[in-house]
Amino acid sequence: MKQLIPGLTVTVLIAVISTLLAQVGFVKESLKLSPLIIAILIGVSIGNIFKISEKFKPGIIFSLKKILRTAIVFLGFRLTFQNVAEVGLEGLIVDSIMLIGTFLLGVFVSTKIFKLDSSMGYLLASGSSICGASAVLATAPVVKAPMHHAAMAVATVTIFGTLSMFLYPVVYKAGLLLDFDDLLYGLFTGATVHEVAQVVAAGFAVSDLAGNTATVAKLTRVMMLAPLLIVLSFYLAAKCTTHGTGVALKDIPVPYFVFGFMAMVGVNSTGFIPADITQKINVIDGFLLTVAMAAMGLETNINRIKNVGMKPIYVSFIMFLFLFFGGIAVVKFIHEIIG
């Protein structure tokens, strides 16, 4: 335990600083940077300016692996199974189509067109299709992605998620989303914008109805992270076996923390835990995610990011276009059939 203290002290300190900076007026109102993004920026800066002593490594790795998995488990307290019921069949179908379509497109464009490493493709695809940085963090250990890939994926999905947050309300208020009403706009926003916070901002910028619908649709989409990671784990195992690499199913890290995530969703769905306690759990969980992001930054070699180049940006832009235009088409089509 003593060997963890130096590294843990650094990651926790960065998380505290990031959390405080995120509350500063200019950062909060103008830049709209979350503590997660600030933490990774600080971590990358420190990790590449200074040579990190080996005595810090155990605590940093602990933050990146154990604390990260714990944080993902407790993400379940942000959701309930009632969220799925609230969004209804129409919302569930829209969410599913957009998630699967975006993920498959992201992997295909990354690996087949831009010839990126498959782990980078999975990270970019999960970040855009589910819930931004949190999805990238959850997917990284499953696909055994190097940290510079995860850092690059977080950066790209943040860029286009932020763009969506500002663009969607402007486009809707300009009357450019066909004949969408506030309800359909909320469904569209929840099914296509990257981060939960970005969805909330884009939704409530239009109306309470749009904001509430967008939030529920988004939380339902976040819940799909668990089955996606489980399917991805089995797919990777089957792929390795097929290609004769000698890697069996037991050698692929099944994301057991995902079962913990679903268990917490179940606990939260019972309503036994008071809302104020749940809110405190979510605050603590957000801090734990920030600690993990700090560790990721510290472990990221910026020279490796430079070697990756602009390709991840291009891939994320293509997924952004698909989310926007494909989302409009899917919401319209499913509403015509079911709504």
Side-chain angles (χ1 to χ4, degrees), residues 93-95 97-99 101-102 105 168 177-178 180 187-188 191-192 318-334:
I93 292 174
V94 170
D95 275 345
I97 291 174
M98 293 309 302
L99 189 154
T102 306
L105 175 67
Y168 277 39
L177 291 181
L178 301 178
F180 277 21
L187 181 57
F188 164 65
T192 59
I318 291 171
M319 285 190 286
F320 165 74
L321 293 178
F322 175 76
L323 284 166
F324 184 78
F325 292 106
I328 293 174
V330 169
V331 169
K332 183 68 176 175
F333 178 71
I334 297 302

Side-chain angles (χ1 to χ4, degrees), residues 43 182 284 287 298:
D182 286 9
I284 294 171
F287 183 76
L298 291 169

Side-chain angles (χ1 to χ4, degrees), residues 91-281:
L92 192 59
I93 292 174
V94 170
D95 275 345
S96 300
I97 291 174
M98 293 309 302
L99 189 154
I100 295 170
T102 306
F103 187 84
L104 294 178
L105 175 67
V107 173
F108 176 80
V109 171
S110 298
T111 58
K112 302 300 182 183
I113 297 179
F114 290 102
K115 308 300 181 184
L116 288 168
D117 185 89
S118 60
S119 67
M120 174 64 87
Y122 292 131
L123 295 178
L124 292 170
S126 65
S128 292
S129 62
I130 304 179
C131 54
S134 297
V136 172
L137 287 171
T139 306
V142 175
V143 302
K144 297 181 178 179
M147 284 307 99
H148 66 281
H149 281 186
M152 188 67 179
V154 168
T156 57
V157 299
T158 299
I159 290 170
F160 290 103
T162 302
L163 176 61
S164 300
M165 178 178 67
F166 290 110
L167 178 66
Y168 277 39
V170 173
V171 170
Y172 176 68
K173 291 176 181 179
L176 300 178
L177 291 181
L178 301 178
D179 55 350
F180 277 21
D181 56 15
D182 286 9
L183 182 66
L184 290 183
Y185 168 79
L187 181 57
F188 164 65
T189 300
T192 59
V193 176
H194 301 61
E195 298 270 4
V196 175
Q198 294 162 350
V199 167
V200 171
F204 283 100
V206 168
S207 70
D208 286 347
L209 174 60
N212 290 329
T213 304
T215 301
V216 171
K218 177 61 179 178
L219 292 178
T220 303
R221 186 171 147 212
V222 172
M223 197 177 294
M224 295 176 182
L225 175 64
L228 174 70
L229 293 183
I230 293 170
V231 170
L232 183 58
S233 297
F234 280 86
Y235 168 75
L236 291 174
K239 184 178 179 181
C240 289
T241 302
T242 302
H243 290 175
T245 58
V247 179
L249 177 62
K250 63 182 178 62
D251 299 316
I252 298 295
V254 176
Y256 293 108
F257 58 87
V258 170
F259 296 107
F261 167 84
M262 294 303 294
M264 294 306 103
V265 174
V267 170
N268 198 36
S269 300
T270 64
F272 290 156
I273 299 179
D276 60 328
I277 300 298
T278 300
Q279 185 177 7
K280 291 176 182 177
I281 291 174

Side-chain angles (χ1 to χ4, degrees), residues 69-83:
R69 286 172 171 80
T70 301
I72 292 170
V73 167
F74 284 96
L75 273 175
F77 277 99
R78 305 184 187 208
L79 310 167
T80 67
F81 291 122
Q82 288 87 337
N83 293 148

Side-chain angles (χ1 to χ4, degrees), residues 15 35-37 39-40 63 67-75 78 133-135 137-138 282-296:
L36 299 180
I37 304 305
I40 197 171
S63 300
I67 290 181
L68 170 59
R69 286 172 171 80
T70 301
I72 292 170
V73 167
F74 284 96
L75 273 175
R78 305 184 187 208
S134 297
L137 287 171
N282 290 337
V283 170
I284 294 171
D285 185 59
F287 183 76
L288 292 178
L289 282 172
T290 306
V291 171
M293 283 296 240
M296 177 187 292

